[in-house]
Amino acid sequence: MRRLVLATKNKGKIVEFERLINQFAQSVKVLGLADFPDMPEVHESGKTLSENARLKAKSISIFTKLPCLADDSGLFIDALAGDPGIYSARWAGYEGVDAQERDRLNIEKVLTQLKDVPVQKRSAQFKAVVAFYKPNSDGSAIEKEELGVMSGEIVLAPMGNGGFGYDPIFKPTGFDQTLAQLPPGVKDEVSHRGIAFRAMTPFLLSNL
């Protein structure tokens, strides 16, 4: 069975990616970073989603000696000049390990920043870059990246219990529910990660 390392410890992301890849190929074993407890932390020092995704994919692939798929994603809010952007996951400065608490604090900060912004000016985009890295035996490597963008708006208060991150406050264009209220399959169809991953899949399955 072909193996692929997914560069994340985020259980929500792992579930999403497994669900997506199983639509295309049942013969791929997806491993997460929890399968490599000795893997050193990759410092996301890039200035863009692309730089961070490529950095993670390459570092983890070289360490594990397996093909790696990494993503970096962010919420870009027009009224905040594109913030929180690449800092989305750590926007509120939470340094603990409780993902739910981190998400709650991040959402709280964004809503506080937008408290005086009217509904019609709360447009935003979720963006994701998915990067693939596979080392070759001759020292070269196969690399590829794809971008996914989902447009929408920030609602006034969190709604829904599904998903993770900013899902409870992001309503995609064309929907009357937030990402946290949508069924998982619907979210996969419209999400930034889903768009990027589907664009990557043919290349991915040809190069594992």
Side-chain angles (χ1 to χ4, degrees), residues 39-50:
M39 172 75 201
E41 193 76 27
V42 178
H43 181 55
E44 297 181 27
S45 57
K47 297 290 192 292
T48 64
L49 298 178
S50 174

Side-chain angles (χ1 to χ4, degrees), residues 95-122:
E95 296 181 354
V97 296
D98 186 332
Q100 288 186 326
E101 179 66 4
R102 180 196 64 217
D103 292 347
R104 185 188 70 79
L105 291 171
N106 285 340
I107 286 173
E108 190 177 87
K109 180 174 180 178
V110 164
L111 291 179
T112 298
Q113 290 178 297
L114 293 177
K115 69 182 188 315
D116 297 322
V117 178
V119 173
Q120 63 271 24
K121 294 189 176 181
R122 297 168 75 97

Side-chain angles (χ1 to χ4, degrees), residues 5-56:
V5 180
L6 189 61
T8 185
K9 294 178 183 176
N10 184 312
K11 291 181 180 179
K13 283 187 182 181
I14 291 171
V15 170
E16 268 193 20
F17 270 113
E18 285 183 335
R19 195 165 60 232
L20 286 163
I21 200 166
N22 283 335
Q23 295 178 19
F24 301 97
Q26 303 290 328
S27 60
V28 178
K29 172 66 174 175
V30 180
L31 303 171
L33 294 185
D35 293 297
F36 302 94
D38 296 332
M39 172 75 201
E41 193 76 27
V42 178
H43 181 55
E44 297 181 27
S45 57
K47 297 290 192 292
T48 64
L49 298 178
S50 174
E51 288 179 7
N52 281 332
R54 284 178 173 268
L55 178 65
K56 287 188 284 188

Side-chain angles (χ1 to χ4, degrees), residues 149-165:
V149 179
M150 173 176 50
S151 297
E153 64 184 66
I154 305 300
V155 296
L156 298 173
M159 294 186 289
N161 299 312
F164 60 94

Side-chain angles (χ1 to χ4, degrees), residues 135-151:
N136 292 320
S137 56
D138 63 0
S140 63
I142 299 171
E143 294 187 75
K144 174 79 169 173
E145 75 171 57
E146 293 287 351
L147 169 69
V149 179
M150 173 176 50
S151 297

